[in-house]
Amino acid sequence: MSWLPVPSDHYFSVNNIPFGIISTPSNPTPRPAVAIGEYVLDLQSFTSTTSVSGFSQLPEFTKPEVFTFEKTLNRFASLGRATHRLVRGYLQQVLSSDTPYPEILKDNAEAQEKCLINTNEEEVRMHLPMDIGDYTDFYAGRNHAFNVGALFRGRENAMQPNYEHLPVGYHGRASSVVVSGTRVRRPRGQVMNPASAGSEKVPVLAPCGKLDFELELAAFIGKDSDMGSSVGVDEAGEYLFGVVVMNDWSARDIQAWEYIPLGPFTSKSFATSISSWVVLMDALEPLRARPLERGTKVPLLPYLQESNSESVYDIPLTVSIKTPSGTHKISQTSSSNLLFSFSQMIAHHTVTGCPLRTGDLLGTGTISGTDTQGMGSLLEMSANGTQKVALGESGEVRRFLEDGDVVVLAGGCRKVGVGFGECVGEVLPAQK
Amino acid sequence: MSWLPVPSDHYFSVNNIPFGIISTPSNPTPRPAVAIGEYVLDLQSFTSTTSVSGFSQLPEFTKPEVFTFEKTLNRFASLGRATHRLVRGYLQQVLSSDTPYPEILKDNAEAQEKCLINTNEEEVRMHLPMDIGDYTDFYAGRNHAFNVGALFRGRENAMQPNYEHLPVGYHGRASSVVVSGTRVRRPRGQVMNPASAGSEKVPVLAPCGKLDFELELAAFIGKDSDMGSSVGVDEAGEYLFGVVVMNDWSARDIQAWEYIPLGPFTSKSFATSISSWVVLMDALEPLRARPLERGTKVPLLPYLQESNSESVYDIPLTVSIKTPSGTHKISQTSSSNLLFSFSQMIAHHTVTGCPLRTGDLLGTGTISGTDTQGMGSLLEMSANGTQKVALGESGEVRRFLEDGDVVVLAGGCRKVGVGFGECVGEVLPAQK
């Protein structure tokens, strides 16, 4: 328990301590912070502007400057897992009811005044937490891959031959990754005109008619790897910094026309939203779970065989759509619905020698459960627009997203007091 | 003509003035420079360490600091086309025989001593010229697309329905873009075991057996675009900074196994090499040419219709492989073998609202001519390894690249005195 009024089942309980980048009306410069319940601890102030540094009881932390002049978490992330553990553990101590260092914050009114922000009283603006070098999106949600494959190729041919053997993935667009709350303009793009008859397909430029969300988790890389070298699957955990929940917005009609033969391009690169607070890997440890079972007896190649059988996380995830009639939950699933772990993604990503850099973002791919109440995209829920999806009892229905819809992804485990908060995005009308 | 001993048919004649990032044994800090023949003009010294700034006769250039403390060309690039034109034009004047400012460099022995490096006398190390945010690779070389399509699907089905209507492209990997001269380790990766019988395909982890080069041009972006907005095709030129020649190394066997359904991933992200010197857009103006003619009567959508019919560049390009027996030219073609221009790529890239950032890199895709002497990849030359490609008269043959091979791409027009120099990479053996 914290000495601050934070319920133990809050996603940002003292068991979590997620890191983010904030600014406030009184100090518009972006700077690192951690969230604790409805409070935010400004790490720039905590480190530098109190009479004694907040880290004075942690002499092992030799680089507190990563919190003072940095506008992203990249430098902190690059210090490595041991330092993340050290700093998070210390902040948990400082914020706990039985803190051994009450003079740092608990009994220090001046420091509280300078460092602690009550988000219910003062506006806190969240920024993109990391400077993202490369963004890679995987396709490790096997139920999703099966649902989509079955939709377009039938159940018998739903899965591609490579699927069980490697984490299928592709390079995404880093420039269009935005933080939760950023509004997303419906893309207009090139789509095949369904009215075009004959053997030649004729495209038109039109606002996307099949705008969709994708429910994913995504991990930030916290350590560079060398070009020409591979990261072993059991050492890959050292390369992970933390996790967010992600909406990889997708334009299904644009995608269908453009994606052969080189994969999705403009149908994905218009926007990808991530939750604001990065939950560190250590905070997720209590939520470890087994991944989905493989559907083949052919063993994984050794470079993908992970010692820890609990390689993914069982985190409840929900999708809601907010309309003027209310907030309607349309999906509930778990992040354990993955065939491959982040460590396996790293081992595969680097097997050919591709270098990772601190700040790279790896998405899991869309996470869907096995039942119709737990699907991670409208493409699946509406069977590519052929069926109506009810928004609760409101009488409203959706096949795909409409202008003004606010998509809210959320994830976390109340029992453990660890979660991501929300990843929110409102759909704006297409440009003329 | 220059007052320096530079032949007018040199790729780096006074008609070119390409920009790059250099370091030297006496000053190992990377810094901006331009190339003039076999000389390099150190712009950091030119700007700041002579008694009078080299730019003293160009008061309109108000930000010479982009050359003093920067380790990339991003800040200079972001100043816009008008400034690129101003600075390049001024440097041409300073370096011309009839310079109006002889006191700046021509008749100034001290300044020459401080700023001019003769690369035949002093070692100059080249660095990646830009900090690359996102790297996108297109597929606009229609002869290449046809050759590859015909190889795998037959001539009748070689082209996909979307090909003539949009510049097909995909997101590449920015972290593995390296400067010419960087050695490239043969990737090992997951490939389908050709011996695996039965309905289930079984993969193995093996060194790439089909390592290939791809001959491309690539353009650097020099202006940010807003998320949610599109760049018009006729204003896209303002977003271009300069061009390099590029080798998009490819692992064909890894690609064949991984690429369905999301496109190439680890088969491409192990390395992409670019030539060191960025040739500014204005230097390419005399080389403008018409692109390939479209093979359909269905008109391009208006957002891709460019006013300037000479939208690509006719630049001779060559591929050579250097082995212990010598340097063997195996291909000669022209960069006019493209169906889409850089401006069309930008218009399409941003049509859905994807933001561009200064430093982004856009590749054309592999450039092949129509005859067998002008193909841009070994995949095409060897018909996917089924035919031997002779290395000149040496008696050596290749189907794909072997360890120790040095691939040399070069491009330029001697008549105009404008070229890229070389893009060189040696193949190292795979890691164990």
Side-chain angles (χ1 to χ4, degrees):
Chain A
M1 289 293 292
S2 174
W3 49 265
L4 278 163
V6 179
S8 64
D9 68 347
H10 197 289
Y11 284 164
F12 300 157
S13 83
V14 77
N15 292 333
N16 192 348
I17 313 290
F19 286 69
I21 297 291
I22 65 160
S23 68
T24 47
S26 60
N27 181 357
T29 303
R31 56 198 189 274
V34 292
I36 172 80
E38 307 293 309
Y39 293 82
V40 159
L41 177 65
D42 176 340
L43 291 177
Q44 185 187 60
S45 299
F46 186 71
T47 305
S48 58
T49 65
T50 56
S51 50
V52 178
S53 164
F55 288 107
S56 59
Q57 296 297 326
L58 190 72
E60 308 94 302
F61 181 41
T62 56
K63 306 219 161 150
E65 66 268 23
V66 297
F67 294 135
T68 46
F69 298 113
E70 300 296 321
K71 294 179 180 180
T72 68
L73 298 173
N74 289 56
R75 276 197 67 203
F76 173 56
S78 72
L79 298 179
R81 281 293 291 273
T83 301
H84 309 159
R85 190 169 297 139
L86 193 71
V87 171
R88 175 172 166 271
Y90 176 75
L91 292 172
Q92 286 180 310
Q93 286 191 310
V94 166
L95 292 163
S96 290
S97 304
D98 57 352
T99 176
Y101 318 118
E103 74 283 9
I104 296 286
L105 204 59
K106 184 184 176 193
D107 297 343
N108 185 334
E110 187 199 342
Q112 286 188 28
E113 173 69 25
K114 284 184 173 160
C115 309
L116 267 183
I117 304 165
N118 182 337
T119 61
N120 294 315
E121 291 171 6
E122 192 176 352
E123 184 193 341
V124 171
R125 184 174 161 206
M126 302 303 302
H127 301 263
L128 210 55
M130 305 278 280
D131 180 19
I132 300 169
D134 280 288
Y135 156 45
T136 303
D137 201 19
F138 287 88
Y139 196 52
R142 195 181 51 194
N143 300 326
H144 169 74
F146 178 82
N147 291 341
V148 173
L151 210 49
F152 293 108
R153 292 184 301 275
R155 295 176 65 89
E156 291 303 308
N157 300 308
M159 304 308 281
Q160 302 290 351
N162 57 16
Y163 191 83
E164 297 274 339
H165 301 290
L166 55 80
V168 169
Y170 71 106
H171 304 117
R173 178 83 191 174
S175 75
S176 54
V177 180
V178 295
V179 73
S180 174
T182 308
R183 294 187 297 175
V184 170
R185 190 168 290 288
R186 175 184 301 273
R188 50 162 205 178
Q190 201 176 121
V191 296
M192 207 235 293
N193 184 351
S196 71
S199 62
E200 176 147 15
K201 309 271 195 298
V202 177
V204 291
L205 180 66
C208 171
K210 293 186 173 180
L211 183 62
D212 203 355
F213 59 82
E214 288 193 335
L215 171 64
E216 306 195 18
L217 293 190
F220 278 110
I221 294 296
K223 183 178 178 177
D224 294 359
S225 77
D226 292 333
M227 188 160 166
S229 297
S230 307
V231 175
V233 67
D234 282 333
E235 49 168 332
E238 291 298 309
Y239 289 76
L240 289 166
F241 173 56
V243 178
V244 291
V245 62
M246 183 166 89
N247 180 353
D248 194 38
W249 303 86
S250 298
R252 302 296 181 191
D253 44 357
I254 298 170
Q255 186 175 352
W257 172 237
E258 78 172 358
Y259 91 106
I260 291 175
L262 298 181
F265 176 41
T266 64
S267 58
K268 294 281 192 173
S269 56
F270 62 95
T272 303
S273 302
I274 61 172
S275 56
S276 322
W277 294 100
V278 182
V279 177
L280 300 198
M281 302 316 295
D282 281 341
L284 295 173
E285 280 296 312
L287 295 160
R288 276 194 180 270
R290 299 176 77 91
L292 296 175
E293 286 208 12
R294 298 180 67 240
T296 173
K297 291 218 163 66
V298 177
L300 270 180
L301 286 170
Y303 80 97
L304 291 172
Q305 289 177 13
E306 200 167 351
S307 300
N308 190 339
S309 62
E310 295 195 320
S311 59
V312 301
Y313 305 98
D314 179 14
I315 307 169
L317 301 172
T318 60
V319 181
S320 304
I321 295 182
K322 205 185 286 188
T323 71
S325 72
T327 299
H328 312 289
K329 187 161 81 176
I330 59 169
S331 185
Q332 170 139 16
T333 184
S334 160
S335 63
S336 63
N337 285 294
L338 292 169
L339 188 62
F340 293 102
S341 69
F342 286 124
S343 287
Q344 288 172 312
M345 293 173 203
I346 288 175
H348 183 64
H349 207 318
T350 61
V351 70
T352 55
C354 175
L356 298 178
R357 296 181 296 193
T358 298
D360 288 347
L361 185 66
L362 309 185
T364 57
T366 308
I367 298 172
S368 290
T370 48
D371 58 36
T372 52
Q373 275 71 53
M375 289 174 171
S377 69
L378 281 170
L379 176 69
E380 295 163 86
M381 290 185 212
S382 73
N384 195 20
T386 61
Q387 295 166 22
K388 293 174 186 169
V389 177
L391 298 189
E393 307 296 310
S394 68
E396 289 184 281
V397 294
R398 289 290 180 277
R399 296 170 197 267
F400 288 100
L401 294 170
E402 295 187 4
D403 292 349
D405 285 352
V406 179
V407 179
V408 183
L409 311 185
C413 177
R414 300 231 168 261
K415 204 170 118 194
V416 177
V418 170
F420 303 106
E422 295 183 339
C423 173
V424 181
E426 179 184 343
V427 178
L428 297 179
Q431 57 178 324
K432 295 299 169 198
Chain B
M1 290 292 291
S2 174
W3 48 265
L4 277 163
V6 179
S8 65
D9 67 347
H10 197 289
Y11 285 164
F12 300 157
S13 83
V14 76
N15 293 332
N16 192 348
I17 312 289
F19 286 69
I21 297 292
I22 64 160
S23 67
T24 48
S26 59
N27 182 358
T29 303
R31 55 200 188 274
V34 293
I36 172 81
E38 308 293 309
Y39 294 82
V40 160
L41 178 65
D42 176 341
L43 291 177
Q44 185 186 60
S45 299
F46 185 72
T47 305
S48 57
T49 65
T50 54
S51 50
V52 177
S53 165
F55 288 108
S56 59
Q57 295 297 325
L58 190 71
E60 308 94 302
F61 180 41
T62 55
K63 306 220 160 148
E65 66 268 22
V66 298
F67 295 136
T68 46
F69 299 112
E70 299 296 321
K71 295 180 179 179
T72 68
L73 298 172
N74 289 55
R75 276 197 66 202
F76 173 56
S78 72
L79 298 179
R81 281 294 290 274
T83 301
H84 310 159
R85 190 169 296 138
L86 192 71
V87 171
R88 174 172 166 271
Y90 176 75
L91 292 172
Q92 286 180 309
Q93 286 191 310
V94 166
L95 292 164
S96 291
S97 305
D98 56 352
T99 175
Y101 318 118
E103 74 283 7
I104 296 286
L105 204 60
K106 185 184 176 192
D107 297 343
N108 185 334
E110 187 199 341
Q112 286 188 28
E113 172 68 27
K114 283 185 174 160
C115 309
L116 266 184
I117 304 165
N118 182 336
T119 61
N120 295 314
E121 291 171 6
E122 193 176 351
E123 184 193 341
V124 172
R125 183 173 161 208
M126 301 304 302
H127 299 263
L128 209 56
M130 304 279 279
D131 181 18
I132 301 169
D134 280 287
Y135 156 45
T136 302
D137 201 20
F138 286 89
Y139 195 53
R142 195 182 51 194
N143 300 325
H144 169 75
F146 178 83
N147 291 341
V148 173
L151 209 49
F152 293 108
R153 291 183 302 274
R155 295 176 65 89
E156 291 304 307
N157 300 308
M159 305 308 281
Q160 302 289 352
N162 56 16
Y163 191 83
E164 297 274 340
H165 301 290
L166 54 81
V168 169
Y170 72 106
H171 303 116
R173 178 83 191 175
S175 76
S176 54
V177 179
V178 295
V179 73
S180 174
T182 308
R183 294 188 296 176
V184 170
R185 189 167 291 288
R186 176 185 299 275
R188 51 163 204 176
Q190 200 176 122
V191 296
M192 207 236 293
N193 183 353
S196 71
S199 62
E200 175 147 15
K201 308 270 195 299
V202 177
V204 292
L205 180 66
C208 170
K210 293 185 172 180
L211 183 62
D212 203 355
F213 59 82
E214 288 192 336
L215 171 64
E216 306 195 20
L217 293 190
F220 278 109
I221 294 296
K223 183 177 178 178
D224 295 357
S225 76
D226 292 332
M227 188 159 165
S229 296
S230 307
V231 175
V233 68
D234 282 333
E235 51 168 330
E238 292 298 310
Y239 289 77
L240 290 166
F241 173 56
V243 178
V244 292
V245 61
M246 183 167 88
N247 180 353
D248 194 39
W249 304 86
S250 298
R252 302 295 182 194
D253 44 357
I254 298 170
Q255 186 174 353
W257 171 237
E258 78 173 359
Y259 91 104
I260 291 176
L262 297 181
F265 177 40
T266 64
S267 58
K268 293 282 193 173
S269 56
F270 62 95
T272 304
S273 302
I274 61 170
S275 56
S276 323
W277 294 99
V278 182
V279 177
L280 300 199
M281 302 317 294
D282 281 341
L284 296 173
E285 279 297 312
L287 296 160
R288 275 194 180 269
R290 298 177 77 92
L292 296 175
E293 286 209 13
R294 299 179 67 238
T296 172
K297 291 217 165 66
V298 178
L300 271 180
L301 287 170
Y303 80 97
L304 291 173
Q305 289 177 14
E306 201 167 353
S307 300
N308 190 339
S309 61
E310 296 195 318
S311 60
V312 302
Y313 304 98
D314 179 15
I315 307 169
L317 302 172
T318 59
V319 181
S320 304
I321 295 182
K322 204 184 287 186
T323 70
S325 72
T327 299
H328 312 289
K329 187 161 83 178
I330 59 169
S331 187
Q332 171 139 16
T333 184
S334 160
S335 63
S336 63
N337 286 293
L338 292 169
L339 189 61
F340 293 101
S341 70
F342 286 126
S343 287
Q344 289 172 312
M345 293 174 203
I346 288 175
H348 183 63
H349 206 319
T350 61
V351 70
T352 55
C354 175
L356 298 178
R357 295 181 296 193
T358 297
D360 288 347
L361 185 67
L362 308 185
T364 57
T366 308
I367 298 172
S368 291
T370 48
D371 58 36
T372 53
Q373 274 71 54
M375 288 174 171
S377 69
L378 281 170
L379 175 70
E380 295 162 86
M381 290 185 212
S382 74
N384 195 20
T386 60
Q387 295 167 22
K388 294 174 185 169
V389 177
L391 298 190
E393 307 295 311
S394 68
E396 289 184 281
V397 294
R398 289 290 181 276
R399 295 171 196 267
F400 287 99
L401 294 170
E402 295 187 3
D403 292 347
D405 284 353
V406 179
V407 179
V408 183
L409 311 184
C413 176
R414 300 232 167 259
K415 202 171 120 194
V416 177
V418 170
F420 304 104
E422 295 182 339
C423 174
V424 181
E426 179 185 343
V427 178
L428 297 179
Q431 57 177 323
K432 297 299 171 203

mmCIF file of all heavy atoms in Angstrom, chain B residues 342-355:
data_model
loop_
_atom_site.group_PDB
_atom_site.id
_atom_site.type_symbol
_atom_site.label_atom_id
_atom_site.label_comp_id
_atom_site.label_asym_id
_atom_site.label_seq_id
_atom_site.Cartn_x
_atom_site.Cartn_y
_atom_site.Cartn_z
ATOM 1 N N PHE B 342 9.739 10.109 -57.886
ATOM 2 C CA PHE B 342 9.779 10.387 -56.442
ATOM 3 C C PHE B 342 8.586 11.243 -56.019
ATOM 4 O O PHE B 342 8.028 11.065 -54.943
ATOM 5 C CB PHE B 342 11.090 11.082 -56.071
ATOM 6 C CG PHE B 342 12.291 10.179 -56.069
ATOM 7 C CD1 PHE B 342 13.422 10.487 -56.813
ATOM 8 C CD2 PHE B 342 12.306 9.016 -55.305
ATOM 9 C CE1 PHE B 342 14.544 9.663 -56.799
ATOM 10 C CE2 PHE B 342 13.424 8.177 -55.289
ATOM 11 C CZ PHE B 342 14.540 8.504 -56.041
ATOM 12 N N SER B 343 8.185 12.194 -56.861
ATOM 13 C CA SER B 343 7.037 13.041 -56.492
ATOM 14 C C SER B 343 5.762 12.206 -56.383
ATOM 15 O O SER B 343 4.947 12.414 -55.484
ATOM 16 C CB SER B 343 6.851 14.160 -57.520
ATOM 17 O OG SER B 343 7.861 15.133 -57.368
ATOM 18 N N GLN B 344 5.603 11.271 -57.302
ATOM 19 C CA GLN B 344 4.420 10.402 -57.213
ATOM 20 C C GLN B 344 4.495 9.499 -55.980
ATOM 21 O O GLN B 344 3.475 9.234 -55.338
ATOM 22 C CB GLN B 344 4.296 9.569 -58.492
ATOM 23 C CG GLN B 344 3.876 10.413 -59.697
ATOM 24 C CD GLN B 344 3.940 9.635 -60.995
ATOM 25 O OE1 GLN B 344 4.943 8.963 -61.273
ATOM 26 N NE2 GLN B 344 2.892 9.724 -61.800
ATOM 27 N N MET B 345 5.686 9.054 -55.650
ATOM 28 C CA MET B 345 5.830 8.238 -54.432
ATOM 29 C C MET B 345 5.415 9.044 -53.202
ATOM 30 O O MET B 345 4.731 8.538 -52.312
ATOM 31 C CB MET B 345 7.282 7.757 -54.287
ATOM 32 C CG MET B 345 7.714 6.771 -55.376
ATOM 33 S SD MET B 345 9.482 6.378 -55.235
ATOM 34 C CE MET B 345 9.820 5.841 -56.939
ATOM 35 N N ILE B 346 5.834 10.310 -53.149
ATOM 36 C CA ILE B 346 5.466 11.159 -52.008
ATOM 37 C C ILE B 346 3.962 11.393 -51.971
ATOM 38 O O ILE B 346 3.324 11.308 -50.912
ATOM 39 C CB ILE B 346 6.229 12.502 -52.077
ATOM 40 C CG1 ILE B 346 7.710 12.277 -51.749
ATOM 41 C CG2 ILE B 346 5.612 13.541 -51.139
ATOM 42 C CD1 ILE B 346 8.578 13.515 -51.910
ATOM 43 N N ALA B 347 3.382 11.685 -53.122
ATOM 44 C CA ALA B 347 1.933 11.927 -53.162
ATOM 45 C C ALA B 347 1.174 10.694 -52.686
ATOM 46 O O ALA B 347 0.193 10.796 -51.942
ATOM 47 C CB ALA B 347 1.508 12.313 -54.579
ATOM 48 N N HIS B 348 1.632 9.528 -53.114
ATOM 49 C CA HIS B 348 0.939 8.307 -52.699
ATOM 50 C C HIS B 348 1.208 7.983 -51.224
ATOM 51 O O HIS B 348 0.305 7.582 -50.488
ATOM 52 C CB HIS B 348 1.356 7.130 -53.577
ATOM 53 C CG HIS B 348 0.626 5.869 -53.228
ATOM 54 N ND1 HIS B 348 -0.744 5.751 -53.365
ATOM 55 C CD2 HIS B 348 1.055 4.687 -52.713
ATOM 56 C CE1 HIS B 348 -1.119 4.541 -52.959
ATOM 57 N NE2 HIS B 348 -0.053 3.882 -52.560
ATOM 58 N N HIS B 349 2.441 8.170 -50.798
ATOM 59 C CA HIS B 349 2.827 7.855 -49.412
ATOM 60 C C HIS B 349 1.985 8.660 -48.428
ATOM 61 O O HIS B 349 1.628 8.183 -47.342
ATOM 62 C CB HIS B 349 4.305 8.189 -49.227
ATOM 63 C CG HIS B 349 5.007 7.412 -48.158
ATOM 64 N ND1 HIS B 349 4.451 7.117 -46.938
ATOM 65 C CD2 HIS B 349 6.253 6.862 -48.120
ATOM 66 C CE1 HIS B 349 5.311 6.424 -46.207
ATOM 67 N NE2 HIS B 349 6.405 6.244 -46.907
ATOM 68 N N THR B 350 1.681 9.903 -48.810
ATOM 69 C CA THR B 350 0.976 10.803 -47.893
ATOM 70 C C THR B 350 -0.517 10.885 -48.171
ATOM 71 O O THR B 350 -1.221 11.621 -47.473
ATOM 72 C CB THR B 350 1.564 12.235 -47.972
ATOM 73 O OG1 THR B 350 1.391 12.726 -49.307
ATOM 74 C CG2 THR B 350 3.040 12.257 -47.614
ATOM 75 N N VAL B 351 -1.010 10.144 -49.155
ATOM 76 C CA VAL B 351 -2.430 10.313 -49.518
ATOM 77 C C VAL B 351 -3.345 9.958 -48.350
ATOM 78 O O VAL B 351 -4.396 10.571 -48.168
ATOM 79 C CB VAL B 351 -2.785 9.515 -50.798
ATOM 80 C CG1 VAL B 351 -2.775 8.023 -50.568
ATOM 81 C CG2 VAL B 351 -4.137 9.962 -51.357
ATOM 82 N N THR B 352 -2.939 8.986 -47.534
ATOM 83 C CA THR B 352 -3.772 8.618 -46.382
ATOM 84 C C THR B 352 -3.461 9.469 -45.152
ATOM 85 O O THR B 352 -4.044 9.248 -44.093
ATOM 86 C CB THR B 352 -3.574 7.136 -46.001
ATOM 87 O OG1 THR B 352 -2.188 6.881 -45.776
ATOM 88 C CG2 THR B 352 -4.098 6.210 -47.080
ATOM 89 N N GLY B 353 -2.506 10.399 -45.287
ATOM 90 C CA GLY B 353 -2.195 11.277 -44.154
ATOM 91 C C GLY B 353 -0.945 10.886 -43.394
ATOM 92 O O GLY B 353 -0.662 11.465 -42.342
ATOM 93 N N CYS B 354 -0.173 9.948 -43.903
ATOM 94 C CA CYS B 354 1.079 9.546 -43.237
ATOM 95 C C CYS B 354 2.058 10.719 -43.234
ATOM 96 O O CYS B 354 2.324 11.308 -44.276
ATOM 97 C CB CYS B 354 1.692 8.370 -43.974
ATOM 98 S SG CYS B 354 3.309 7.876 -43.328
ATOM 99 N N PRO B 355 2.599 11.092 -42.075
ATOM 100 C CA PRO B 355 3.548 12.210 -42.037
ATOM 101 C C PRO B 355 4.945 11.806 -42.491
ATOM 102 O O PRO B 355 5.463 10.766 -42.094
ATOM 103 C CB PRO B 355 3.569 12.601 -40.556
ATOM 104 C CG PRO B 355 3.203 11.352 -39.817
ATOM 105 C CD PRO B 355 2.315 10.550 -40.734
#
